[in-house]
């Protein structure tokens, strides 16, 4: 058994927790690969600031205009299958009342008999796009850390909605882990980052034991990397900078340094508060 049980809730939110849209794209891939139905959504009036996360208006094929409000929704798989099944929680980061927000979703998870939770996030980091994407895999649950070889974060400081949800879930008896992908900070113009999404799904499959369909992510990841290679080829300064990052990463990947190095990069990112790495126009709570 993976320590998370067979009914695992996967969480990801648009916003600061989602550099390169890697985490939200991972949940979107899970939704596309299987049949899901909504279980519970929060009232947007209670949790979102419309000056920062504005509603969107659109027209359908018949010309009818519809106003779509920001949301956060829990989804369940429509069909029961053998092995681990994944529930999904995704949407927009709330701007207020985080304790109530987390409490509503933890209650909904308990009603669904959820046995474990994995939070997905992605952060901008000083890493090269040419190397495998680093994944920080951690948990405050001692049993999970021992059984899965996860890290324990020693960070102390401001936190965001993933931490608030994880804390509430653990308090309710739901073991919780977190996976964070490191996205190269210089690829902001190449969003989304399918290579980071693919890395998150690979690690998620290892952690949960669930079979995950990656779709065409491998092809998209190769094209993403090639597009950055082409852009860097015309810039000598960028090329040299990437080479420096590659040398640092290769040092991290040495057997004696790799685990500690990834953990240290994660701690460094949290301490600087993700400065400059949020999405324009989104609520910007700090993790």
């Amino acid at each position: 058994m993976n320590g998370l049980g067979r009914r695992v809730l996967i969480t990801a939110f648009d916003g600061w927790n989602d550099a390169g849209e890697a985490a939200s794209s991972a949940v979107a891939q899970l939704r596309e690969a299987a049949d899901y139905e909504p279980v519970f959504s929060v009232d947007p009036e209670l949790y979102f600031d419309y000056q920062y996360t504005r509603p969107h208006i659109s027209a359908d094929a018949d010309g009818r205009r519809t106003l779509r409000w920001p949301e956060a929704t829990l989804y369940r798989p429509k069909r029961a299958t053998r092995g681990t099944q994944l529930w999904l929680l995704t949407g927009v980061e709330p701007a207020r009342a985080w304790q109530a927000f987390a409490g509503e979703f933890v209650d909904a998870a308990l009603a669904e008999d959820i046995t474990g939770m994995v939070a997905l996030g992605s952060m901008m980091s000083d890493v090269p796009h040419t190397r495998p994407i680093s994944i920080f895999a951690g948990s405050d649950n001692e049993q999970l850390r021992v059984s899965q070889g996860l890290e324990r974060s020693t960070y102390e400081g401001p936190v965001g909605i993933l931490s608030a949800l994880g804390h509430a879930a653990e308090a309710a008896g739901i073991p919780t882990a977190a996976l964070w992908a490191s996205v190269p900070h210089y690829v902001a113009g190449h969003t989304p980052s399918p290579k980071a999404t693919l890395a998150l799904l690979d690690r998620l499959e290892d952690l949960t034991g669930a079979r995950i369909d990656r779709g065409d992510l491998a092809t998209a990841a190769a094209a993403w990397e090639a597009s950055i290679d082409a852009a860097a080829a015309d810039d000598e300064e960028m090329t040299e900078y990437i080479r420096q990052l590659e040398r640092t990463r290769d040092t991290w990947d040495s057997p004696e340094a790799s685990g500690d190095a990834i953990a240290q990069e994660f701690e460094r990112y949290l301490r600087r508060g993700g400065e400059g790495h949020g999405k324009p126009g989104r609520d910007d709570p700090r993790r």
Side-chain angles (χ1 to χ4, degrees):
M1 184 63 66
N2 58 35
L4 293 164
R6 297 190 180 278
R7 300 165 71 92
V8 183
L9 175 60
I10 311 303
T11 68
F13 291 88
D14 292 347
W16 179 85
N17 308 279
D18 194 27
E21 300 178 13
S24 60
S25 294
V27 171
Q29 172 61 31
L30 294 171
R31 281 189 65 189
E32 291 173 5
D35 291 329
Y36 281 90
E37 60 185 358
V39 175
F40 173 75
S41 294
V42 291
D43 180 350
E45 295 290 314
L46 301 177
Y47 301 112
F48 301 117
D49 185 335
Y50 299 143
Q51 286 188 319
Y52 293 95
T53 309
R54 294 182 181 273
H56 287 241
I57 194 165
S58 58
D60 61 20
D62 296 324
R64 288 189 294 266
R65 294 170 67 77
T66 302
L67 197 60
R68 181 167 54 87
W69 298 89
E71 65 173 358
T73 301
L74 175 67
Y75 298 89
R76 74 159 70 95
K78 286 185 177 181
R79 297 186 181 90
T81 60
R82 288 187 175 184
T84 302
Q85 286 197 280
L86 304 181
W87 273 245
L88 309 176
L89 169 54
T90 188
V92 179
E93 286 182 300
R96 60 176 71 91
W98 285 12
Q99 292 184 73
F101 181 92
E104 287 206 57
F105 278 115
V106 168
D107 286 346
L110 291 172
E112 292 291 303
D113 294 324
I114 293 298
T115 57
M117 187 177 88
V118 180
L120 303 184
S122 49
M123 57 186 177
M124 291 293 186
S125 303
D126 298 328
V127 295
H129 71 283
T130 53
R131 297 295 188 263
I133 297 292
S134 299
I135 301 293
F136 175 86
S139 177
D140 287 332
N141 184 292
E142 184 176 0
Q143 185 176 1
L144 269 183
R145 290 200 308 274
V146 172
S147 64
Q148 297 297 318
L150 304 178
E151 301 283 346
R152 180 173 187 174
S153 174
T154 58
Y155 168 75
E156 295 180 323
V159 299
I161 193 59
L162 291 180
S163 292
L165 271 170
H167 184 79
E170 283 283 351
I174 301 174
T176 302
L179 301 178
W180 282 78
S182 294
V183 179
H185 70 86
Y186 56 86
V187 301
H190 295 263
T191 296
S193 301
K195 187 173 181 178
T197 297
L198 183 60
L200 280 172
L201 291 178
D202 287 345
R203 189 65 179 88
L204 181 63
E205 184 172 88
D206 291 340
L207 181 62
T208 64
R211 296 184 63 181
I212 294 175
D213 183 350
R214 275 73 157 183
D216 62 357
L217 277 173
T219 300
W224 176 83
E225 186 170 336
S227 70
I228 301 168
D229 287 341
D234 295 329
D235 187 332
E236 292 184 7
E237 185 176 347
M238 178 60 70
T239 298
E240 178 55 32
Y241 177 65
I242 292 171
R243 287 174 181 161
Q244 292 176 9
L245 293 177
E246 288 173 339
R247 289 191 288 270
T248 300
R249 175 60 191 273
D250 292 342
T251 300
W252 286 2
D253 285 341
S254 62
E256 66 276 10
S258 58
D260 288 341
I262 294 173
Q264 288 168 10
E265 172 64 21
F266 181 69
E267 299 291 350
R268 232 180 354 257
Y269 179 78
L270 293 180
R271 288 195 177 93
R272 67 179 180 240
E275 183 177 353
H277 297 150
K279 289 183 178 179
R282 296 288 190 185
D283 296 338
D284 190 26
R286 299 299 177 184
R287 186 180 190 286

